[in-house]
Amino acid sequence: MAKINGNTIKPGMVLQHNGGLWVVTKASHVKPGKGGAFANVEAKNLETGNKLNERFRSEDKVERVTLEQKDYSYLYDGGETLVFMNDENYEQIELQKEWVGEERIPYLQEGMKVVIESHEDRPIGLSLPDHVTLEVAETEPTVKGQTASSSYKPAIANNGVRIMIPPYMSAGEKIVVDTATGEYVRRAD
């Protein structure tokens, strides 16, 4: 781990502070007329999700943590856990469903490549691909003349997620969905 000055903290950095790992969400640097420069830092604890507002002077030293990122493939749902396989050495790890997040689980597909960030061999974060391809399982029928309208209609994808799609689409069509927002992106090729 490298020690860095308080005035070099930027959003996205992971810091070890007060016995925990914190990801910086906001950092504003202030140079007052009197006194030394400092950084107002907002951070989120990677384990507990707690938030922190801290002021670091430019001479303060902070431990910067580098997370190890490895590619994994999603294998299957193991009941309480989800099973992933390391693409390099084929080792399998199980992660608790609540740790992965209920809102992200429906997007996992067998064989999907994900990135798991870890610190000292302990998983800290999981990144899904930006987009996934889903099939429209059910939706309202297309109404003739409504295709020019800019309003979207509700649909349910094959993974059970509700999504708003263009009015001209029907059940059985493949769509690309943003995994971060759950919104329709485009028709799949």
Side-chain angles (χ1 to χ4, degrees):
M1 284 187 287
K3 283 203 179 267
I4 59 169
N5 287 339
N7 62 346
T8 59
I9 297 172
K10 293 180 177 59
M13 285 184 171
V14 178
L15 309 174
Q16 186 153 15
H17 182 65
N18 291 346
L21 293 176
W22 302 85
V23 62
V24 177
T25 53
K26 285 184 187 172
S28 60
H29 299 280
V30 181
K31 294 180 184 170
K34 279 185 166 176
F38 59 89
N40 280 326
V41 175
E42 278 184 33
K44 183 178 176 188
N45 189 304
L46 288 172
E47 284 110 13
T48 64
N50 293 342
K51 296 202 181 220
L52 166 86
N53 284 317
E54 190 86 31
R55 181 179 280 189
F56 293 98
R57 296 185 325 239
S58 58
E59 59 269 10
D60 290 342
K61 296 282 187 201
V62 186
E63 292 279 340
R64 180 173 180 191
V65 178
T66 305
L67 297 180
E68 191 176 0
Q69 295 184 333
K70 288 186 181 167
D71 293 331
Y72 283 79
S73 295
Y74 172 66
L75 295 180
Y76 60 90
D77 184 333
E80 292 288 312
T81 60
L82 300 169
V83 181
F84 296 87
M85 180 183 68
N86 185 321
D87 289 347
E88 291 173 15
N89 59 16
Y90 306 109
E91 281 182 19
Q92 293 183 8
I93 63 165
E94 293 185 31
L95 299 175
Q96 294 294 321
K97 283 186 173 180
E98 62 190 44
W99 184 85
V100 173
E102 289 296 323
E103 70 285 347
R104 299 190 319 172
I105 292 172
Y107 296 112
L108 288 171
Q109 298 169 352
E110 207 171 288
M112 175 186 274
K113 303 287 185 211
V114 299
V115 175
I116 296 179
E117 293 180 319
S118 56
H119 175 65
E120 296 173 354
D121 292 329
R122 196 172 87 237
I124 297 293
L126 179 135
S127 301
L128 296 176
D130 293 338
H131 300 110
V132 293
T133 301
L134 301 174
E135 186 176 319
V136 177
E138 57 183 83
T139 186
E140 299 167 0
T142 303
V143 178
K144 194 170 181 143
Q146 193 181 20
T147 55
S149 160
S150 63
S151 64
Y152 280 43
K153 65 182 180 179
I156 297 177
N158 60 342
N159 63 353
V161 172
R162 293 186 157 285
I163 192 162
M164 298 299 284
I165 62 171
Y168 56 82
M169 299 194 84
S170 57
E173 291 194 62
K174 297 219 182 280
I175 57 173
V176 176
V177 177
D178 186 313
T179 56
T181 63
E183 294 176 354
Y184 168 87
V185 176
R186 66 178 188 278
R187 184 181 258 157
D189 300 329

